[in-house]
Amino acid sequence: VADASFLPRVYASDEAVYVNGNYQSLPSLLNTSYVGSRPVVLFSEDNPTLRPTDLHQTRLVSMEGERWQDTSPNPSTSGAHPAVRFTQVNPTKYIATVDGAGRPFWLTLSQNFHPYWRVYIVTSHTPAYRRIDRSALLSAFMNRSNMSMVQEHVKANGFANAWYIDPQGREVVEVILEYWPQRLLEAVWVIEGAVLTVAVSYLWVFWVWRRQASMRDRSHTETSG
């Protein structure tokens, strides 16, 4: 059930806000017009390798006296939020469609940050695309030529995952959000299944061989007697 008090699990925004500091300044920043209803706030302490000059679609804000001020060289006033429709395939995978993108945007997953969360832009669909999306390993193998991984992954709002996505002019963008270790887990399942199959097959062959050998021995004994 939707609740206005909580952020959507997956949402998009045309811009982010970069703050030199940590998440403790977030409450006061939320009361400004710089954040809006779909916040993407990047704190320097959460993203130490980011440099403000390398960021795109991002406002630079700082506390001047007792007020927040926009210190961006070229302040943006867009504040738009492309519409996002998403489906949770399972706890480790989401499929989302972003409508009304057109220009680069930030995509946020309101889930605890982990570097192994990945976002892939779907470039085309195979006939089996929808039938295999529940399997991270199978879909990664079958759709490997139809997906492009987004590189810019940052920590937003003090806890969440966010990515900078360039739709290259497309108004509608389909993306896959995936927790990458799920592929390894499924690979382990496949290996364990293969090992179990081989073991059971070996035991069955051994049992048949022993049974046949026992029948031969019994037949030989009866013939000798």
Side-chain angles (χ1 to χ4, degrees):
V1 179
D3 189 327
S5 300
F6 295 92
L7 290 171
R9 180 58 59 90
V10 181
Y11 63 88
S13 178
D14 263 13
E15 64 184 15
V17 172
Y18 180 88
V19 180
N20 188 18
N22 58 43
Y23 69 92
Q24 293 179 350
S25 60
L26 183 59
S28 64
L29 190 59
L30 290 175
N31 294 324
T32 70
S33 61
Y34 300 131
V35 176
S37 61
R38 297 292 184 265
V40 183
V41 184
L42 313 178
F43 296 102
S44 60
E45 291 188 13
D46 289 336
N47 303 284
T49 60
L50 282 181
R51 295 183 301 175
T53 54
D54 294 336
L55 299 176
H56 306 279
Q57 302 297 116
T58 305
R59 284 186 175 190
L60 309 181
V61 300
S62 62
M63 182 67 76
E64 302 290 341
E66 297 182 354
R67 300 183 59 184
W68 288 101
Q69 298 290 334
D70 189 338
T71 58
S72 306
N74 298 297
S76 170
T77 58
S78 171
H81 303 304
V84 177
R85 294 176 285 111
F86 70 92
T87 300
Q88 181 177 2
V89 178
N90 54 52
T92 65
K93 188 173 185 178
Y94 299 82
I95 296 178
T97 301
V98 182
D99 295 310
R103 55 180 287 183
F105 62 91
W106 289 89
L107 184 72
T108 301
L109 172 64
S110 296
Q111 189 157 317
N112 287 340
F113 179 86
H114 196 287
Y116 286 139
W117 273 104
R118 305 282 170 82
V119 161
Y120 302 89
I121 297 176
V122 178
T123 56
S124 62
H125 293 167
T126 63
Y129 175 76
R130 285 302 183 192
R131 294 197 294 272
I132 63 176
D133 58 9
R134 290 189 175 276
S135 170
L137 185 63
L138 186 58
S139 62
F141 176 76
M142 297 293 292
N143 296 321
R144 61 189 182 279
S145 61
N146 305 310
M147 300 189 303
S148 175
M149 191 175 83
V150 177
Q151 300 294 332
E152 193 71 76
H153 181 197
V154 297
K155 190 174 187 178
N157 306 334
F159 77 98
N161 300 267
W163 295 265
Y164 177 75
I165 297 178
D166 185 353
Q168 299 182 346
R170 287 179 292 174
E171 290 293 327
V172 179
V173 181
E174 184 171 6
V175 298
I176 295 174
L177 301 91
E178 177 185 287
Y179 186 60
W180 187 82
Q182 179 67 19
R183 298 185 187 184
L184 299 180
L185 181 59
E186 291 184 13
V188 171
W189 291 344
V190 171
I191 294 172
E192 289 181 346
V195 171
L196 182 60
T197 299
V198 171
V200 170
S201 299
Y202 173 81
L203 291 175
W204 182 79
V205 170
F206 181 74
W207 178 82
V208 170
W209 177 80
R210 286 294 300 270
R211 182 178 175 81
Q212 291 177 345
S214 177
M215 292 176 64
R216 287 196 300 270
D217 291 343
R218 186 182 306 166
S219 175
H220 179 72
T221 300
E222 292 175 352
T223 302
S224 301

